[in-house]
Amino acid sequence: MAEILHEHVQPKVEFVKPTADALVRCEGLEKWYGSVHALTGVDFHAEPGEIVGLVGDNGAGKSTLIKILSGAEQQTSGRIFFAGKEVQLTSPKVAMHLGIETIYQYTAMVPQMSIARNMFIGREPLSGLRIGSLGIMDQKAMVAHATKSMTNIDLTRRSPNTTVEELSGGQRQAVAIARAMYFKSKLLILDEPTNHLSVKETNKVLDYVASLKEQGIGSIFISHNLHHIYPIADRIVAMARGAKIADVRKTDTSIDGLTEMIV
Ligand SMILES: Nc1ncnc2c1ncn2[C@@H]1O[C@H](COP(=O)(O)OP(=O)(O)OP(=O)(O)O)[C@@H](O)[C@H]1O
Ligand SMILES: [Mg+2]
């Protein structure tokens, strides 16, 4: 007797849609670098207090997407909405002003400067004194604020005057995260922050990100390692060749399910 062949029709898993309260929402983002089509019309969003894990192969377009969201690059076409309003993210300053903070492993800090100075780069408090037209930085205020912020991130045994080059990769991430907390960022973007970190440091960074969630801060966390982001992510977005190929709530999937979807 002929065996009946069961065809397993794989239903295409629908992408999660943004709510009306989405913190950030992109529609049809396209990015061309010369003849390279780095983003081919990507819809993406993050809700307040949501941790979105962004995964995908080398060259998938992850960094391009977050560079656009952090104002470092501009899209060729497509629209971006932040807290419901359409925005033109023409520079990192514009994005930071809106409350979008981005952390890269090596470029976020000036190693030769102190923790306190690094916390306030580009946003230094002024003392009220001036030399000609130049305001003078309020060093005391920076150290005081840095000390307070550092207690939030377990860096209490370090002086705020310590230079960042004396810190480990994980501790640098911690300073960057303290900075995001201090400036009350609304969206924190981390592009492969745990590359080159020890397991212990990686877990610390993951803990910090989870603690930001409790304060309502949304995070977009890029990683090659699904196992790193799976425990803390609320939702996983996967990209391939400049397009979004999966957008699922963690509660609707498993690591195995995701791996199958992505590969
Ligand atoms: N400045 C640039 N000029 C030209 N092409 C670029 C530029 N930046 C990125 N690309 C190209 O755009 C595509 C997407 O790159 P992107 O850096 O966004 O990938 P990614 O998903 O972050 O990859 P990885 O996991 O390796 O970091 C790649 O083909 C890349 O070569
Ligand atoms: Mg990248």
Side-chain angles (χ1 to χ4, degrees), residues 12-18 43 45 238 243-248:
K12 192 174 177 305
V13 182
E14 275 205 33
F15 292 160
V16 175
K17 298 208 171 52
D43 293 346
H45 72 279
K244 187 164 85 170
I245 57 164
D247 189 334
V248 281

Side-chain angles (χ1 to χ4, degrees), residues 19 21 30 107 118 120 139 146 149 162 203 206 220 235 253:
T19 71
D21 300 322
E30 297 243 5
T107 55
N118 268 287
F120 290 93
Q139 302 277 359
S149 300
T162 310
N203 288 336
L206 296 176
I220 302 169
R235 183 156 55 89
T253 184

Side-chain angles (χ1 to χ4, degrees), residues 56-219:
D57 275 344
N58 292 114
K62 306 179 297 294
S63 293
T64 302
L65 174 61
I66 66 95
K67 277 181 196 155
I68 291 171
L69 288 179
S70 60
E73 299 272 2
Q74 275 71 54
Q75 69 268 35
T76 311
S77 63
R79 304 170 77 183
I80 303 172
F81 299 82
F82 193 78
K85 273 219 229 101
E86 185 161 13
V87 289
Q88 314 293 334
L89 302 176
T90 48
S91 74
K93 223 172 184 152
V94 169
M96 276 158 88
H97 191 73
L98 287 170
I100 303 172
E101 188 90 20
T102 309
I103 297 177
Y104 306 95
Q105 172 137 40
Y106 292 114
T107 55
M109 306 266 156
V110 180
Q112 296 79 20
M113 284 188 188
S114 69
I115 294 176
R117 281 298 310 279
N118 268 287
M119 279 214 36
F120 290 93
I121 281 175
R123 288 176 283 194
E124 291 86 354
L126 299 177
S127 64
L129 297 174
R130 307 185 77 80
I131 300 178
S133 60
L134 287 178
I136 298 186
M137 287 184 285
D138 189 342
Q139 302 277 359
K140 260 202 195 135
M142 283 194 275
V143 169
H145 291 312
T147 306
K148 200 162 155 236
S149 300
M150 284 161 67
T151 58
N152 293 335
I153 53 155
D154 297 338
L155 264 180
T156 40
R157 276 165 306 166
R158 291 296 192 147
S159 152
N161 296 312
T162 310
T163 57
V164 160
E165 61 195 343
E166 293 170 59
L167 300 180
S168 72
Q171 289 170 330
R172 290 180 198 204
Q173 298 294 344
V175 173
I177 288 170
R179 188 167 64 186
M181 286 166 135
Y182 178 79
F183 286 103
K184 304 235 181 314
S185 302
K186 298 188 179 80
L187 177 67
L188 183 69
I189 303 176
L190 305 102
D191 192 351
E192 307 259 8
T194 50
N195 270 3
H196 320 290
L197 295 191
S198 69
V199 173
K200 199 169 153 221
E201 286 179 333
T202 298
N203 288 336
K204 260 266 133 69
V205 171
L206 296 176
D207 282 349
Y208 294 139
V209 172
S211 71
L212 295 182
K213 176 186 172 63
E214 286 158 23
Q215 302 176 41
I217 299 175
S219 303

